[in-house]
Amino acid sequence: MLKQIAITLLAIVACCLGSQAQDVNDVPLGLDTVQYLENVVVYGRKPYAEVIPAQTLAGKKLEGLNSHSIADAIRYFSGVQVKDYGGVGGIKTIDIRSMGTNHLGVFYDGIQLGNAQNGQIDLGRFSLDNIEEISLYNGQKSEIFQPARDFGSAGTVYIKTRRPKFSGEKNNNFNVTMRTGSFGLANPSVRWEHRFNRNLTMSLNAEYTYATGQYHFRYRKKFSDGTIAWDTTAVRKNGDVQAFRAEGAIFGTLDDGKWNAKFYYYDSERGIPGAIVNNVWMNSQRQWDRNFFVQGGWQQRLSEKFETMVNAKYARDFMHYNNPDTTLMLIDNKFWQDEIYVSSANKYTIMPDWDVNLSVDYKWNYLNSTLTNFSYPQRHTALVALATARTWHRFKCQASLLYTMIDDRYKTIYQGQTLARHSKWMHKFTPAVFMNYQPIQRYDFYLRAFYKRIFRMPTFNDLFYTDMGNANLKPEYANQFDLGFWYQRLREDGFFTGLKFTADAYYNTITDKIIAVPSGRGQYRWTMMNIGKVRIMGVDVTARATMHLARDFNLDINLSYTYQKARDYTDPEDTGFGGTYKGQIAYIPWHSGSVVGRATWRDLDVNYSFIYVGERYSSSCNERSYHQQPWYTHDLSASYTFALGSTKFKVAAEVNNLFNQYYDVIINYPMPGRNYKLILKFDF
């Protein structure tokens, strides 16, 4: 037994350090060993490439979901919590495995979306109209050939926009889509794709969204003894939105290489419906956003062993927030932030099954504002990642070490005079190890595990915001442990054509966790604090079954379930009435899950989805007054596709929240009841 353990440990060390091993079947072939065969068809299984696989929504499955934004679609992944502040124009952020929104990196066509001001990426502003695939990774992407920023998050979401595809000699594709429905929705979009030649293509996409955002909701409040204080129905107002989005991209291929360039522009004005507190049913706050970025990338294989990749980006974001209500606080603030980012990744193949990569990134952020006595912070960030990946028979291992250096520079200003200039410098090393093992080669069954330590600095708002910034905030550290398995079985015929199961148990610890809660005066303003120590234990389970029921009739069912115990361990003496010690942290349910079903028959496509979020608390103080009831929604959609000549038509209808349940994702921010949508698409 000890001998077997020793041999196993030596194999793991050899893998991670890249020990050379040769398969016993690697026998050189001579001319006399060659056999010439005719009309041979070889069937094989696609090799399992990822050490830690992603949860992915793509193609028809993504298109069939009753989702308008990326945040709506990500709700169906296990281990994810969506914070939705209600309505069409409400801000939507996501949290993975209770690590916090700022620990999730969001990548748009391979380059991270940034917000140095508050670290919050509002995924509600990213439409699914131009999206081809969404992938969610726990830990990090199972690929070492990537920029250093990709190694710097507890989890990552990769958003891949559509790439032009052409059939035959066709050089142009056009798509026109119109959506309308509840809340006064009018949402037209157009897309044009053009092929210049076999090596150069481009795409342009534009979309406009208008909605009044008004919907009925039920508001019910109970006293601590369980008696009803009031129970009424009202209309949610000031949730209107007008938004325009435009994107353009050009894609090129080279000998052993490729390149791309992209621009993105988003301009919106929206009302902020606000929280329903103190019997206030109407708010007048408004917010304007303008987001613009240009980015590009180049990837080239320079030799059989060496490959390089360069990415660059410039982004400029503007936000204007106005609160004319003097009974709260008269606010009229504007913010501008700039970002410059460059990256170089270089992969070298030591052996066919052993790669190493060195990535170096640099990022500069600057924030300007009309706030009085603002600090005008700027941040220089350098990241260096050294990573290796090794495959030894049926065992795979990836290891990385990320170095992060941050230099913050800001001013102390009083009555318009600069009193002092400051600089704060910090650097950290954070390691990660990922492993995957296939016990029996003929079965698609894999065991996987990973460990990762992550570090993040507070954002500009955390540190320097004039009214609510906390210059004494500590950096946040997190450790992640994961152990799980993946199983898949595919069949070419029969009733079940595919079965897939995954299960992961995880344990996360966070020290000096930074949390952000709405201040009550607007969704962009947050009260920042360290809550000390948090321990998170959980289980994620997913299952998928594909069935062939009859001729041209197929069924695809996906299930996900998450159990989480995320508790505050900051102060052992903070117990008793009003205490938070060992309390489940705010808005993290113990149980949550989803069911997504898709049935297709020829050109008819029917989709059903169900989301469940169990009981939770709106505070780490787990007392009855903070208890939140479970909520769930049923959504149903159907579409039919037909062709007239060379034009392809698609008609779709959706019913969301089918049983008209009234619920809050965030307390006092009521969500819509039953609502409808009609979609018309033309492809030619």
Side-chain angles (χ1 to χ4, degrees):
M1 182 67 180
L2 291 175
K3 182 178 179 180
Q4 293 176 342
I5 294 175
I7 292 174
T8 302
L9 291 174
L10 286 173
I12 294 174
V13 173
C15 167
C16 292
L17 296 179
S19 305
Q20 183 174 357
Q22 184 176 6
D23 194 291
V24 294
N25 295 322
D26 290 343
V27 180
L29 295 177
L31 289 176
D32 57 341
T33 64
V34 177
Q35 302 292 322
Y36 295 93
L37 302 175
E38 295 182 359
N39 300 326
V40 174
V41 180
V42 179
Y43 295 92
R45 214 171 38 223
K46 182 180 178 180
Y48 180 72
E50 294 184 326
V51 178
I52 303 294
Q55 298 181 67
T56 301
L57 289 170
K60 295 294 184 181
K61 186 189 298 185
L62 179 61
E63 188 176 346
L65 293 177
N66 293 29
S67 304
H68 175 70
S69 70
I70 289 174
D72 295 331
I74 291 177
R75 296 181 304 168
Y76 297 98
F77 290 143
S78 64
V80 170
Q81 296 83 42
V82 176
K83 292 184 177 180
D84 191 330
Y85 291 88
V88 179
I91 292 175
K92 298 176 176 63
T93 62
I94 61 174
D95 175 12
I96 181 171
R97 290 184 173 179
S98 306
M99 301 290 289
T101 301
N102 289 0
H103 270 295
L104 185 71
V106 181
F107 291 79
Y108 201 77
D109 282 336
I111 299 180
Q112 188 174 5
L113 297 171
N115 187 338
Q117 181 180 350
N118 58 31
Q120 310 282 328
I121 303 298
D122 178 14
L123 292 177
R125 67 181 175 91
F126 292 96
S127 167
L128 291 176
D129 186 68
N130 195 42
I131 303 303
E132 186 174 275
E133 181 180 281
I134 304 173
S135 300
L136 173 68
Y137 287 87
N138 290 301
Q140 63 195 35
K141 189 177 182 180
S142 295
E143 169 63 60
I144 65 168
F145 187 42
Q146 56 186 349
R149 284 179 75 172
D150 294 42
F151 296 90
S153 302
T156 50
V157 171
Y158 285 85
I159 303 166
K160 182 180 179 182
T161 59
R162 288 179 55 93
R163 298 299 195 269
K165 297 176 183 178
F166 302 92
S167 58
E169 299 298 322
K170 190 176 182 181
N171 290 322
N172 291 282
N173 294 326
F174 295 93
N175 171 271
V176 178
T177 301
M178 180 63 191
R179 298 178 180 89
T180 187
S182 302
F183 321 124
L185 177 67
N187 179 211
S189 67
V190 295
R191 183 174 61 249
W192 172 41
E193 299 172 344
H194 177 69
R195 176 168 60 180
F196 297 98
N197 54 55
R198 63 188 299 268
N199 295 320
L200 189 64
T201 60
M202 59 83 69
S203 68
L204 290 172
N205 178 246
E207 179 182 23
Y208 174 75
T209 302
Y210 170 82
T212 62
Q214 295 188 13
Y215 55 89
H216 288 84
F217 67 95
R218 181 180 179 183
Y219 190 60
R220 187 179 185 186
K221 184 174 179 61
K222 292 183 178 181
F223 292 117
S224 58
D225 61 0
T227 60
I228 297 177
W230 61 74
D231 188 349
T232 186
T233 301
V235 176
R236 189 73 157 148
K237 296 183 178 180
N238 199 44
D240 62 293
V241 60
Q242 294 187 67
F244 173 75
R245 175 186 59 84
E247 296 182 59
I250 187 166
F251 307 91
T253 60
L254 307 166
D255 292 337
D256 295 324
K258 60 183 180 180
W259 62 273
N260 69 85
K262 183 180 186 67
F263 82 87
Y264 175 94
Y265 177 76
Y266 178 83
D267 192 334
S268 73
E269 177 188 353
R270 69 185 70 189
I272 300 178
I276 299 174
V277 292
N278 299 325
N279 206 30
V280 175
W281 304 86
M282 174 70 179
N283 292 274
S284 53
Q285 295 95 331
R286 300 198 67 79
Q287 181 171 313
W288 294 260
D289 292 279
R290 285 200 302 270
N291 307 100
F292 170 78
F293 67 75
V294 289
Q295 66 182 44
W298 169 70
Q299 184 175 332
Q300 184 74 44
R301 179 175 292 278
L302 300 179
S303 69
E304 292 185 0
K305 291 182 174 292
F306 183 69
E307 191 170 2
T308 189
M309 176 170 57
V310 176
N311 290 314
K313 176 181 179 180
Y314 169 73
R316 182 170 178 82
D317 298 326
F318 166 79
M319 184 182 72
H320 176 199
Y321 174 80
N322 177 260
N323 178 18
D325 189 352
T326 56
T327 61
L328 295 173
M329 178 185 291
L330 181 62
I331 301 174
D332 189 13
N333 294 332
K334 298 178 181 179
F335 298 88
W336 296 264
Q337 56 175 315
D338 295 271
E339 177 179 307
I340 296 175
Y341 169 73
V342 291
S343 169
S344 173
N346 303 275
K347 184 179 73 171
Y348 183 76
T349 301
I350 299 175
M351 295 188 304
D353 53 7
W354 184 18
D355 297 324
V356 294
N357 178 75
L358 178 65
S359 300
V360 180
D361 292 8
Y362 169 76
K363 182 176 63 169
W364 173 79
N365 296 98
Y366 175 72
L367 181 64
N368 191 2
S369 175
T370 57
L371 284 172
T372 303
N373 299 329
F374 194 62
S375 298
Y376 303 99
Q378 58 178 305
R379 174 172 290 176
H380 299 268
T381 305
L383 303 102
V384 180
L386 179 63
T388 183
R390 180 77 162 94
T391 301
W392 187 60
H393 298 289
R394 297 189 303 275
F395 186 83
K396 296 183 179 182
C397 179
Q398 292 180 0
S400 63
L401 182 65
L402 174 66
Y403 171 75
T404 305
M405 188 280 289
I406 297 176
D407 181 19
D408 285 341
R409 302 178 183 183
Y410 59 99
K411 307 172 185 177
T412 298
I413 298 176
Y414 180 70
Q415 294 183 351
Q417 300 295 320
T418 300
L419 302 182
R421 299 178 185 273
H422 310 275
S423 179
K424 295 175 65 175
W425 182 80
M426 184 170 286
H427 67 106
K428 296 293 175 182
F429 288 92
T430 50
V433 178
F434 296 76
M435 293 179 287
N436 178 288
Y437 178 64
Q438 183 185 17
I440 305 174
Q441 187 171 8
R442 66 177 179 272
Y443 293 117
D444 281 337
F445 177 74
Y446 301 86
L447 301 173
R448 63 199 189 199
F450 75 81
Y451 163 75
K452 184 171 184 177
R453 179 169 174 80
I454 199 63
F455 150 80
R456 83 164 184 91
M457 279 285 289
T459 64
F460 283 164
N461 274 7
D462 299 344
L463 295 169
F464 308 119
Y465 193 81
T466 303
D467 297 325
M468 298 180 183
N470 182 358
N472 297 318
L473 276 178
K474 301 175 184 177
E476 185 174 300
Y477 299 89
N479 293 287
Q480 297 173 267
F481 302 86
D482 182 281
L483 180 64
F485 74 87
W486 181 93
Y487 172 75
Q488 176 177 273
R489 184 175 181 181
L490 303 176
R491 297 174 57 185
E492 295 183 3
D493 53 15
F495 181 75
F496 281 99
T497 57
L499 290 172
K500 180 180 177 181
F501 299 94
T502 70
D504 286 89
Y506 54 88
Y507 176 67
N508 303 331
T509 64
I510 305 178
T511 304
D512 294 324
K513 181 175 175 62
I514 303 170
I515 64 169
V517 295
S519 69
R521 300 185 191 130
Q523 294 181 42
Y524 85 103
R525 302 187 68 178
W526 307 88
T527 299
M528 313 308 302
M529 63 185 71
N530 290 107
I531 65 170
K533 299 178 182 179
V534 174
R535 298 177 188 174
I536 305 161
M537 294 182 290
V539 176
D540 287 345
V541 179
T542 68
R544 180 184 181 186
T546 55
M547 290 159 277
H548 182 69
L549 303 180
R551 183 178 180 182
D552 299 327
F553 186 23
N554 298 289
L555 185 63
D556 188 347
I557 299 177
N558 294 263
L559 301 96
S560 69
Y561 167 76
T562 296
Y563 170 78
Q564 284 191 92
K565 184 182 288 186
R567 299 194 289 180
D568 182 355
Y569 280 82
T570 302
D571 185 1
E573 297 182 358
D574 188 13
T575 58
F577 183 77
T580 62
Y581 183 66
K582 291 189 177 180
Q584 185 89 343
I585 63 178
Y587 294 109
I588 303 301
W590 280 268
H591 304 276
S592 61
S594 68
V595 179
V596 178
R598 176 173 178 245
T600 60
W601 181 73
R602 298 183 181 177
D603 296 322
L604 180 64
D605 196 329
V606 178
N607 291 269
Y608 163 79
S609 59
F610 167 78
I611 291 178
Y612 172 81
V613 174
E615 63 176 348
R616 62 218 186 280
Y617 289 89
S618 60
S619 168
S620 296
C621 175
N622 293 174
E623 295 179 355
R624 185 173 182 176
S625 59
Y626 299 107
H627 183 263
Q628 301 297 302
Q629 292 290 337
W631 63 267
Y632 53 87
T633 60
H634 301 262
D635 304 322
L636 186 66
S637 68
S639 65
Y640 182 72
T641 305
F642 60 96
L644 292 176
S646 60
T647 303
K648 184 178 179 182
F649 296 87
K650 180 177 180 180
V651 181
E654 299 179 359
V655 183
N656 301 308
N657 198 352
L658 184 64
F659 297 106
N660 199 34
Q661 187 193 33
Y662 293 107
Y663 66 98
D664 294 2
V665 176
I666 302 297
I667 188 172
N668 297 326
Y669 287 85
M671 299 296 292
R674 185 186 301 115
N675 58 90
Y676 308 90
K677 189 181 296 181
L678 178 65
I679 304 172
L680 302 176
K681 289 189 177 183
F682 307 88
D683 290 281
F684 53 94

